Amino acid sequence: MLSKLRSLGMALNFEDVSNIAGNGVAPGRVHVARAMVEAGYVDNLRQAFSRYLYDGGPAYAIGSEPAGESVVQLICRTGGIAVLAHPWALKNPAPVIKDLKAAGLHAIEVYRSDGKLSGLSDLADTYELLKLGGSDYHGRDDKEEPDIGSVDLPVLAFFRFLEAAQPIWCNAIKEIFANTTERTGLNGPKECHRTSSVDDLCNMCLSSPELEETDDSEVEVLRTEFADIILSNRSCKTLTEQ
């Protein structure tokens, strides 16, 4: 977008656009539009979009994001719960949701951050998707931005989410540690080790020469996140000390 604007005689610095977006926020069209206003190229945001930044406009540029189906499949392969956010922003949501469901989509956002119920609840029922919600918090340090966790989900929606997520997360954890033991050579019949805590497991894994350069901070994150994990052939339970 900046390159196209420069060719149109409206040079902008990427640093300026990033500063407008703020620390930790990915710059987008609205930030480019604000930079155009500050530089005096347009009078307001509406003019920036209507003249240059609208879809297909002279300064519009297509990003390099992967297809939605590919993202959903990646999330599913790595033990995550794939949820479609802001489905009401889609011009024709039905076919998109249908294709994403075929790719493995688990849920869609129905409970909005403004307290309203999305009109796409029926589509969630049609494709047997979980109904979830989010605060839409982006860390903009804006007083009008909803706080994390500010969306009230019905208890039943939360229960159904956990019901679907538990086996997915447990299988992912099993695969992670199975791969770890394969890499460290601890899965042979003569080298089986029984661990009673994450500390033991982390120390056991870190004893491998392959992992000598592992960052200690990463290990601490694992210990903090999992607290204590018990794996068996039939179940996976996470115990958290309060």
Side-chain angles (χ1 to χ4, degrees):
M1 285 189 288
L2 297 183
S3 177
K4 289 185 175 182
L5 285 171
R6 189 176 299 109
S7 67
L8 294 171
M10 292 175 283
L12 295 173
N13 294 323
F14 179 76
E15 291 76 12
D16 294 336
V17 177
S18 296
N19 289 335
I20 291 172
N23 186 32
V25 179
R29 269 193 292 184
V30 66
H31 307 115
V32 173
R34 290 175 181 170
M36 293 174 69
V37 174
E38 290 188 4
Y41 295 132
V42 292
D43 295 332
N44 50 53
L45 297 182
R46 182 184 297 275
Q47 193 176 90
F49 276 89
S50 63
R51 291 185 180 181
Y52 305 104
L53 301 177
Y54 61 89
D55 290 1
Y60 177 74
I62 299 176
S64 57
E65 297 85 359
E69 291 85 351
S70 298
V71 175
V72 168
Q73 291 169 357
L74 175 62
I75 293 171
C76 292
R77 288 200 305 270
T78 53
I81 308 300
V83 185
L84 177 63
H86 315 329
W88 50 83
L90 296 170
K91 295 179 180 179
N92 191 9
V96 174
I97 293 174
K98 180 180 179 181
D99 291 342
L100 293 180
K101 169 65 177 181
L105 185 71
H106 298 99
I108 63 174
E109 183 179 5
V110 170
Y111 301 98
R112 299 170 47 136
S113 58
D114 57 10
K116 298 179 181 179
L117 183 67
S118 166
L120 299 177
S121 180
D122 290 342
L123 270 180
D125 292 332
T126 299
Y127 294 106
E128 298 181 341
L129 295 167
L130 298 171
K131 301 176 184 180
L132 298 178
S135 60
D136 199 22
Y137 176 80
H138 287 266
R140 292 191 295 263
D141 195 23
D142 186 348
K143 293 182 179 180
E144 296 181 358
E145 185 176 38
D147 291 330
I148 295 177
S150 60
V151 174
D152 293 328
L153 289 179
V155 174
L156 184 58
F158 186 66
F159 171 78
R160 287 175 176 169
F161 165 71
L162 292 178
E163 190 177 38
Q166 184 178 16
I168 294 173
W169 290 342
C170 288
N171 288 333
I173 293 172
K174 288 180 180 179
E175 290 181 8
I176 288 171
F177 288 117
N179 292 336
T180 300
T181 55
E182 287 178 5
R183 288 201 313 271
T184 56
L186 297 173
N187 59 334
K190 295 183 179 180
E191 295 185 89
C192 289
H193 289 62
R194 180 178 295 275
T195 62
S196 59
S197 70
V198 170
D199 281 349
D200 292 343
L201 182 58
C202 288
N203 292 332
M204 180 179 67
C205 293
L206 287 174
S207 65
S208 168
E210 298 178 11
L211 301 176
E212 287 181 353
E213 298 181 359
T214 301
D215 188 347
D216 289 341
S217 63
E218 295 179 1
V219 179
E220 289 305 318
V221 170
L222 286 174
R223 288 171 175 160
T224 302
E225 289 290 333
F226 290 110
D228 198 8
I229 298 175
I230 300 172
L231 299 176
S232 67
N233 292 332
R234 294 185 178 181
S235 65
C236 165
K237 297 180 180 179
T238 302
L239 306 177
T240 305
E241 294 183 0
Q242 296 183 355

